[in-house]
Each structure stands twice: as structure tokens, then as C-alpha cells.
């Protein structure tokens, strides 16, 4: 996504259309642009507004991991797995389990 598209999304923040979906879209655009740390607060807001948004939890975990915050990534994936399993979102739960195992293995020095 180009910077102009990210800017257009950012202009909606704080307005009547500021919701979990907008924040997920912003987070996704920022992750796609390699701006992982910038994506984190938007994804955190998305899950704060919609705690059962498994895709947002998964992307939050990735953004945190790519930004170098392994502890936050592990926490996001763990919560995301709980949410996905509760919603029956089997594929998202499986993917987050894989990402979580990789982070935990790396954190253990393995």
C-alpha cells in the first residue's frame, strides 16, 4: 500500500468511522509497508474495541514480533489463539500456534 493510501486511512482516525476494522486496515497497511512498530498501536486499538477479532490478534502478534517485542508477540498470539478457538476459527488458531511455537523456541535459545 502506498503512503498516500495509508494517509487516507489515517485521516479517518478519530472520526465517525474510526472502528476496529479501520484500525485493522491501518495496521495491515503499515505492516505491508514494513512499519511494524507504527502498526502496533492501531492493532492494539482494534482488539481493544473488538476483543474477538482473531485476524487482528494474529497481525498484532506479527507486528510485535517484527518490531522486536517478542514478549508482546507471544502474549498477542496466546490471546489470539484463545479468541480464535472460542470462535471456531480453526485456521487462524493453527497459524498462531505455529508462530507462537517459533517465537517460544527462539526465546529459549533453540
Amino acid at each position: 500500500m502506498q503512503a498516500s493510501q495509508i494517509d487516507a486511512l489515517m485521516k479517518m482516525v478519530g472520526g465517525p468511522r474510526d472502528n476496529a476494522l479501520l484500525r485493522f486496515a491501518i495496521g495491515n497497511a503499515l505492516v505491508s509497508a514494513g512499519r511494524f512498530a507504527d502498526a502496533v498501536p492501531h492493532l492494539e486499538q482494534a482488539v481493544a474495541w473488538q476483543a474477538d477479532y482473531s485476524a487482528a490478534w494474529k497481525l498484532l502478534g506479527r507486528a510485535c514480533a517484527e518490531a522486536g517485542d517478542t514478549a508482546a508477540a507471544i502474549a498477542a498470539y496466546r490471546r489470539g489463539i484463545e479468541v480464535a478457538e472460542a470462535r471456531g476459527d480453526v485456521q487462524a488458531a493453527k497459524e498462531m500456534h505455529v508462530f507462537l511455537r517459533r517465537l517460544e523456541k527462539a526465546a529459549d535459545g533453540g
Side-chain angles (χ1 to χ4, degrees):
M1 184 171 279
Q2 296 179 354
S4 62
Q5 293 169 314
I6 293 171
D7 291 342
L9 290 171
M10 293 295 287
K11 287 179 183 175
M12 291 190 265
V13 170
R17 293 187 178 184
D18 193 0
N19 58 27
L21 183 59
L22 173 64
R23 295 303 181 106
F24 177 80
I26 292 168
N28 191 44
L30 290 167
V31 165
S32 295
R35 295 171 53 189
F36 304 107
D38 292 338
V40 170
H42 296 286
L43 295 166
E44 288 175 335
Q45 186 62 57
V47 297
W49 281 336
Q50 190 175 337
D52 67 344
Y53 199 163
S54 54
W57 283 108
K58 184 171 78 169
L59 192 58
L60 175 59
R62 177 178 174 207
C64 289
E66 295 286 352
D69 191 345
T70 302
I74 288 171
Y77 284 137
R78 286 182 178 157
R79 181 67 183 122
I81 290 165
E82 291 173 8
V83 165
E85 288 175 345
R87 295 189 69 215
D89 193 350
V90 176
Q91 185 60 35
K94 284 182 183 179
E95 291 173 11
M96 285 187 275
H97 270 293
V98 170
F99 301 142
L100 176 60
R101 278 194 299 272
R102 287 179 189 160
L103 285 174
E104 289 174 335
K105 185 176 180 180
D108 290 339

